[in-house]
Amino acid sequence: MNDHGVQKTSIVVENLTSGYFGNIVLRNITFMITEPAIYVVLGPNGAGKTTLLRSMAGILKPINGKVELNGLPVSNQISRRRISYLSHLDGIPEGLTVIEAIRFYAKIEGASENDIDRVTAQLDLKGLLTKRFSQLSQGQKKRVSIARIFLRERDVYLLDEPTSNLDPKIAGEIRSLILNLSKDKIVLYSSHNLYEAREIGNYVIAIKEGRLILFNKISELRPESYLIGVRTMGNKEPTNYTRKEGEYYIYELNGPEEVQELINKLMLGNIKIREVREMSNPLEDLFK
């Protein structure tokens, strides 16, 4: 129970081995989730990210082990009604118009016309409602697919690459929706974009060759080397930098506590600083 007397949502993945037609993709995956947050599922292509989300959604039956939501198998109908799953495949019939597709899923979900109006406004779909799904761009198709999962409120959201093929504006809006969800919901979010993962995620679930290699808070990860990029104004070049990447002079430091000292030294050398940014990402070190 939480402070308001409401049962907390928990997910247990225990010794999960899963795959397709006897071919094992995931091996002995174990972790527990007990708090609302964004859990970013990372791994190279073929690592098993989609297989994990499908198993957690109750779509794919484990070969061994279990996945439970509040003590019940996720294949249980009660559990499945509390989980919303977004596939990386659109899965919407090409011949349907956008409004037909949304109303079809709204009927399945038990959503109202108000819910339909809300998601079409949230995802900027009003100009697309009469178009057939086959006429949409990849980014537009993704937005329609995402609309399905926001029709009704759920406890757990499993999102397989929700921002792929989206332009930066829409991708940013989707991330904002997901961040808002994570205040009181559990969100698992697979992504190939390590910088996006670090920006949006609270935890990382890292998978490599079908095995769990890390489950930890992203804030607790530290890169092997701490890199700072400095962008300057004027023609004077700073000294003692490691290399240059585009407009950025790269400095390798021991940690963030040395950034202010670097800035002070550059200013004493009459270097005019336009921007200082962190260039290293600890998530990159996971798959080296």
Side-chain angles (χ1 to χ4, degrees):
M1 296 285 182
N2 62 18
D3 293 340
H4 302 287
V6 178
Q7 182 179 2
K8 291 177 64 175
T9 302
S10 65
I11 301 173
V12 173
V13 177
E14 186 176 308
N15 296 323
L16 175 66
T17 296
S18 195
Y20 308 90
F21 308 110
N23 296 317
I24 293 175
V25 177
L26 296 177
R27 296 178 183 273
N28 300 319
I29 303 289
T30 296
F31 60 83
M32 180 184 293
I33 294 174
T34 58
E35 66 174 295
I38 295 178
Y39 299 78
V40 182
V41 182
L42 290 179
N45 286 333
K49 300 186 298 297
T50 294
T51 303
L52 174 63
L53 294 184
R54 286 176 177 170
S55 300
M56 293 183 69
I59 295 169
L60 185 62
K61 184 178 179 180
I63 296 170
N64 191 34
K66 65 181 182 180
V67 182
E68 292 182 344
L69 176 64
N70 291 348
L72 294 175
V74 293
S75 56
N76 180 286
Q77 288 298 315
I78 295 173
S79 296
R80 291 185 71 169
R81 285 198 295 270
R82 300 181 67 180
I83 298 172
S84 192
Y85 170 64
L86 174 71
S87 170
H88 68 288
L89 302 173
D90 297 312
I92 295 176
E94 295 281 311
L96 292 181
T97 63
V98 171
I99 189 59
E100 286 171 343
I102 293 175
R103 283 184 173 147
F104 171 76
Y105 288 106
K107 186 175 182 180
I108 292 173
E109 295 284 344
S112 68
E113 282 293 323
N114 287 337
D115 294 320
I116 293 172
D117 291 340
R118 173 177 50 78
V119 298
T120 53
Q122 278 181 328
L123 294 160
D124 194 22
L125 297 175
K126 290 191 175 181
L128 305 176
L129 294 178
T130 58
K131 289 188 175 183
R132 296 197 181 279
F133 198 69
S134 60
Q135 297 174 300
L136 304 183
S137 69
Q138 289 302 311
Q140 290 169 338
K141 287 180 178 180
K142 177 67 75 173
R143 282 156 53 198
V144 176
S145 296
I146 290 171
R148 300 182 324 194
I149 69 165
F150 291 129
L151 282 166
R152 290 293 300 273
E153 184 176 343
R154 295 289 185 259
D155 295 320
V156 178
Y157 292 82
L158 307 173
L159 312 179
D160 200 352
E161 298 183 22
T163 59
S164 64
N165 299 317
L166 294 179
D167 64 62
K169 178 178 180 295
I170 297 296
E173 290 171 358
I174 297 302
R175 283 193 289 270
S176 294
L177 286 171
I178 293 169
L179 283 166
N180 190 54
L181 274 179
S182 69
K183 293 175 182 176
D184 57 3
K185 309 293 181 185
I186 291 171
V187 180
L188 274 79
Y189 178 120
S190 74
S191 176
H192 287 292
N193 186 329
L194 297 182
Y195 284 91
E196 176 186 67
R198 189 178 181 194
E199 176 187 342
I200 196 174
N202 307 108
Y203 290 81
V204 61
I205 300 173
I207 300 173
K208 187 174 183 180
E209 297 176 352
R211 297 185 183 276
L212 181 70
I213 61 171
L214 182 71
F215 181 178
N216 201 357
K217 286 185 176 182
I218 291 178
S219 62
E220 293 182 2
L221 303 182
R222 294 291 180 267
E224 291 181 359
S225 57
Y226 190 76
L227 303 179
I228 288 294
V230 178
R231 196 155 60 113
T232 63
M233 296 182 290
N235 297 322
K236 188 170 183 180
E237 183 175 283
T239 59
N240 299 324
Y241 59 89
T242 304
R243 64 181 184 275
K244 193 173 181 184
E245 292 182 7
E247 295 184 343
Y248 291 93
Y249 297 96
I250 308 300
Y251 289 84
E252 185 169 341
L253 308 179
N254 291 319
E257 66 279 359
E258 295 185 356
V259 173
Q260 188 58 55
E261 182 182 353
L262 171 63
I263 293 172
N264 293 341
K265 286 180 179 179
L266 292 173
M267 293 177 67
L268 285 172
N270 294 318
I271 300 296
K272 296 180 179 179
I273 298 173
R274 178 182 295 175
E275 180 188 5
V276 176
R277 62 175 291 189
E278 190 178 82
M279 305 294 283
S280 50
N281 187 337
L283 298 178
E284 293 177 333
D285 296 335
L286 295 176
F287 303 106
K288 287 181 177 178

